[in-house]
Amino acid sequence: MADIEDFLARRKQEGLLRSLKPASFRKGNKINFSGKEYIDFCSNDYLGLSFDPRIIEEIKKAADRFGTAVCASRLLSGDLDLHHQLERKVAGFKGKETALVFNSGYQANLGIISSLYGKGDCVFSDRLNHASIMDGIALSQAKLFRFRHNDTRHLKDLLEKQRAKFKKALIVTESVFSMDGDTAPLKELSELKEKYGCWLMVDEAHATGIFGDTGAGLVQQEGLEEKIDLIMGTFSKALAGFGAYLAASQLVVDYLVNTCRSFIYSTALPPAVIAGNLKSIELVEKEPERGKSLLSLAEYFRGCLSEKGLEVKGCSQIVPVIIGDNQASERIAFGLQQKGYWVLPVRPPTVPVGQARLRLSLNVYHDKKALEKFADDISKLKV
Ligand SMILES: *Cc1c(COP(=O)(O)O)cnc(C)c1O
C-alpha cells in the first residue's frame, strides 16, 4: 500500500494529480460546476448534436420499442437488425465494403490491432497516436516502431530498414490529432504503405463530422477510401453518441467477429445508443456545412490568438495554445477558469516535456466576438 500512497503524494506535490470533478449540468457550450457557469472549451461535442431533438426522439423511440439494453454479446442474443442497419450506414458513410460496431473507441483500437497483428509482425505508429492505439499494439505483441509526428521521411527510413524482417506490417495514424489539432499526410502514408507492402489504419475520432464533403472525415476529403485498409472512428465525439466502428472489407470484419476479444466478450451497445448513432450520421450527411463553418471559425480564432503573439498549433476545430512551462499553463488555465472559461492545462506525460498547453476545443456554439474576447483574456494572463 505504501507505494500507492507514495505515488499519489508525489503526483499531488508535482501538481499532476488527476481527479474527477462532477458538473451539475452541461448543455451547448455551457457547463455548470457547483452553481457556477463556464463556457466549455474541453468538450468534443463539436457540432452541438448532444441536445439535438431529432436524435433524442430516435433514442426515446428505440428505448420504448427495444427496452433499455440487450443484455448479451452480439454473438449470443444481443444482435439486433438495428446494429446491422448502423453498420450498413457507417459503411456507406465511410465508403468501405462493410463495417463493425464496437462499444467504445478504446475497445475498438485495442481489439482491432491485437487481433490482426501478433508476434513476428510489426506496427509503425505515429509518436502522437492515442493511448488506445498504443495499448492495442502492446497487447498484440507485434514489434513497435514509432515514427516522429507526421514525419514521412522518418517513417520511410524505418520501413526501409525494418519492413523485410517481419511478416505482416501496419502503419497507423490518427487523421486529426487530438492534442495537436493537426492532420496526417494521408496521401504520402498511403503511397508508403503500397510501396512497402503494409496495411494502413486511420483513426478518425476527431475528423468525423467535421472534414469531408458529407462529413465522413479526412479520408473522404482526400478521396482515399480505397487505399486505407482500416478506417476506424468513434460515435462519441462530434456524433454525440457512444461507441465506435471499423469500416473495412468483409474479410476483415468476418475475421474480427471470430477473433476480436474486445468485440466478442462484451455486451452489445443498447438499442437506444445505436438508434441515436444512426440518426446523427444521417444528420451530418444531410447538413455537412456545420463542420465547414466550425473549421472557418477555428481559422478565425487562430488568427486572433496569433495576433496577440500566442503560439498556436493545428488546422482543425482543436486549437492548442502552447505555453511551454507546466506551472505557467496551470496558472493561466486557473486564471481563465476564474473568468468563467472551462479550460484545463494539458501537461506531460500527455504531451512532450516543455510543451504544456491549453487544448481548446471549439464547437458550433462559440462565436467570433466571444472568441476575440477569449483570445484577449488569454494573452493578458500569459504575461
Ligand atoms: C477519444 C478517442 C478514442 C477513444 O474513443 P472512446 O469512444 O472515447 O473510447 C480513440 N482514438 C482517438 C484518437 C480518440 O480521440
Side-chain angles (χ1 to χ4, degrees):
M1 288 307 277
D3 54 338
I4 297 179
E5 282 167 23
D6 287 351
F7 172 87
L8 292 172
R10 202 165 356 101
R11 271 286 164 103
K12 184 157 188 182
Q13 195 186 0
E14 292 164 348
L16 293 174
L17 189 69
R18 298 178 207 251
S19 62
L20 296 168
K21 190 164 163 58
S24 44
F25 191 69
R26 65 159 292 276
K27 183 173 184 174
N29 68 355
K30 299 285 171 27
I31 188 160
N32 200 303
F33 292 100
S34 356
K36 182 165 171 168
E37 188 174 273
Y38 300 83
I39 306 177
D40 189 1
F41 283 95
C42 295
S43 168
N44 300 315
D45 184 12
Y46 303 124
L47 301 175
L49 290 176
S50 66
F51 276 84
D52 193 291
R54 297 165 293 182
I55 299 173
I56 293 171
E57 179 62 28
E58 290 302 310
I59 288 175
K60 285 180 179 162
K61 278 198 326 215
D64 283 342
R65 172 129 198 261
F66 297 102
T68 57
V70 289
C71 308
S73 146
R74 294 276 301 276
L75 286 161
L76 298 174
S77 59
D79 195 30
L80 294 175
D81 286 335
L82 205 56
H83 293 91
H84 292 262
Q85 214 180 314
L86 178 60
E87 286 167 346
R88 283 193 296 275
K89 185 86 185 161
V90 169
F93 185 49
K94 290 280 167 175
K96 295 300 281 186
E97 188 180 2
T98 190
L100 187 66
V101 168
F102 288 83
N103 290 359
S104 74
Y106 186 87
Q107 278 175 263
N109 282 334
L110 204 70
I112 294 162
I113 300 172
S114 64
S115 330
L116 291 170
Y117 296 89
K119 282 197 178 122
D121 300 327
C122 64
V123 180
F124 299 87
S125 172
D126 188 287
R127 212 169 247 293
L128 294 190
N129 277 341
H130 193 260
S132 55
I133 296 175
M134 299 310 298
D135 291 357
I137 300 167
L139 188 63
S140 78
Q141 302 191 51
K143 174 81 179 161
L144 166 66
F145 297 101
R146 295 170 86 195
F147 56 95
R148 287 192 290 271
H149 177 52
N150 278 348
D151 187 340
T152 47
R153 282 178 60 177
H154 186 212
L155 172 61
K156 188 168 190 289
D157 284 349
L158 287 170
L159 285 163
E160 195 67 52
K161 286 201 197 92
Q162 306 292 348
R163 171 64 188 99
K165 299 180 195 163
F166 297 88
K167 289 185 288 183
K168 291 192 285 184
L170 176 72
I171 300 171
V172 58
T173 186
E174 296 180 31
S175 58
V176 170
F177 283 86
S178 58
M179 285 301 146
D180 280 46
D182 56 352
T183 54
L186 294 182
K187 187 147 192 308
E188 288 168 81
L189 293 175
S190 66
E191 285 161 10
L192 286 174
K193 81 116 196 172
E194 296 271 317
K195 179 155 189 238
Y196 291 92
C198 312
W199 274 13
L200 177 56
M201 175 170 176
V202 174
D203 178 336
E204 295 245 70
H206 295 278
T208 304
I210 316 294
F211 288 83
D213 276 352
T214 64
L218 194 68
V219 174
Q220 179 186 49
Q221 181 159 310
E222 309 261 307
L224 292 170
E225 292 90 339
E226 290 203 359
K227 300 268 182 200
I228 292 166
D229 308 275
L230 308 167
I231 306 178
M232 175 272 173
T234 67
F235 298 110
S236 51
K237 302 212 162 120
L239 297 175
F242 200 75
Y245 53 83
L246 175 72
S249 68
Q250 189 67 53
L251 202 69
V252 165
V253 166
D254 289 346
Y255 184 76
L256 291 176
V257 168
N258 281 276
T259 59
C260 180
R261 295 166 68 85
S262 69
F263 174 83
I264 298 169
Y265 298 106
S266 194
T267 299
L269 285 175
V273 170
I274 299 292
N277 291 344
L278 252 169
K279 189 67 182 179
S280 82
I281 295 184
E282 187 190 313
L283 295 180
V284 163
E285 279 183 314
K286 232 177 5 195
E287 304 165 4
E289 58 286 347
R290 286 185 191 222
K292 305 295 151 304
S293 64
L294 183 60
L295 288 175
S296 62
L297 187 68
E299 199 49 45
Y300 179 79
F301 182 44
R302 278 196 176 76
C304 298
L305 292 162
S306 305
E307 234 170 70
K308 301 280 178 194
L310 293 160
E311 183 190 346
V312 54
K313 281 196 172 195
C315 56
S316 66
Q317 75 284 6
I318 299 165
V319 183
V321 178
I322 308 298
I323 306 296
D325 180 63
N326 290 355
Q327 263 94 43
S329 71
E330 280 159 41
R331 180 181 55 77
I332 295 168
F334 184 64
L336 291 168
Q337 287 174 18
Q338 288 183 318
K339 286 181 180 295
Y341 302 106
W342 191 245
V343 173
L344 294 171
V346 183
R347 292 157 299 186
T350 308
V351 293
V353 174
Q355 295 229 358
R357 65 192 66 186
L358 310 173
R359 175 198 183 271
L360 310 173
S361 288
L362 298 195
N363 63 49
V364 291
Y365 295 104
H366 294 126
D367 65 67
K368 282 188 176 174
K369 246 182 103 86
L371 290 176
E372 283 166 23
K373 166 104 176 35
F374 183 41
D376 193 49
D377 285 335
I378 299 174
S379 75
K380 280 182 185 146
L381 282 164
K382 175 94 198 301
V383 286

